[in-house]
Amino acid sequence: MPIIGPGPDDPENDNWDPAWAHQSTPFRRWLCEKLTAKGWEREHAAEAAGIYAPANRYNGLDDTQMDLIATLTGTTFDAVRAAHKADLDDSGREQQLRNHPDLAVLDADLDRVRRRS
């Protein structure tokens, strides 16, 4: 079956981390929780989160996507934006630790990452 869209070696996919497809992030957890509370089966909520959570970190979410997520979750645009920003803040902290590792802080962060995986 042909690939529709950019392939894994295309420049458009630079910085793509395959772990994002299954990594437990604050946005993914928030989205799963809200969809499940809205009556979605856990499996379907996880599939939807598997689409939007990587997009959130890799490309960000535009207003149309955030409106859709707000509708699907029964929340507000501002609630989706807050979850989006919390996830990006978490990602920023991880990147900061990678750029300037301090062993004590890194150790604590690795423990946190291990617990969420």
Side-chain angles (χ1 to χ4, degrees):
M1 174 178 275
I3 295 175
I4 298 172
D9 296 328
D10 290 344
E12 186 174 326
N13 282 329
D14 288 351
N15 299 321
W16 170 256
D17 182 350
W20 287 343
H22 56 79
Q23 182 182 38
S24 177
T25 64
F27 188 76
R28 181 184 297 257
R29 291 188 301 272
W30 178 87
L31 187 53
C32 277
E33 174 188 317
K34 297 301 180 187
L35 291 172
T36 304
K38 192 72 173 157
W40 288 46
E41 292 182 25
R42 181 155 288 287
E43 178 183 331
H44 295 134
E47 287 176 17
I51 294 167
Y52 286 109
N56 183 55
R57 284 207 175 178
Y58 186 56
N59 293 321
L61 299 172
D62 62 26
D63 288 352
T64 302
Q65 291 168 315
M66 292 208 292
D67 276 334
L68 175 61
I69 293 168
T71 300
L72 293 174
T73 58
T75 60
T76 65
F77 184 90
D78 289 337
V80 177
R81 183 187 307 272
H84 162 77
K85 286 183 177 182
D87 193 65
L88 295 183
D89 289 346
D90 184 71
S91 176
R93 283 189 299 276
E94 288 177 6
Q95 188 59 47
Q96 186 176 33
L97 285 172
R98 287 185 191 103
N99 292 340
H100 305 286
D102 171 78
L103 293 180
V105 174
L106 181 60
D107 184 53
D109 191 60
L110 289 173
D111 287 345
R112 180 186 59 78
V113 170
R114 180 184 53 78
R115 285 189 302 271
R116 77 168 194 211
S117 297

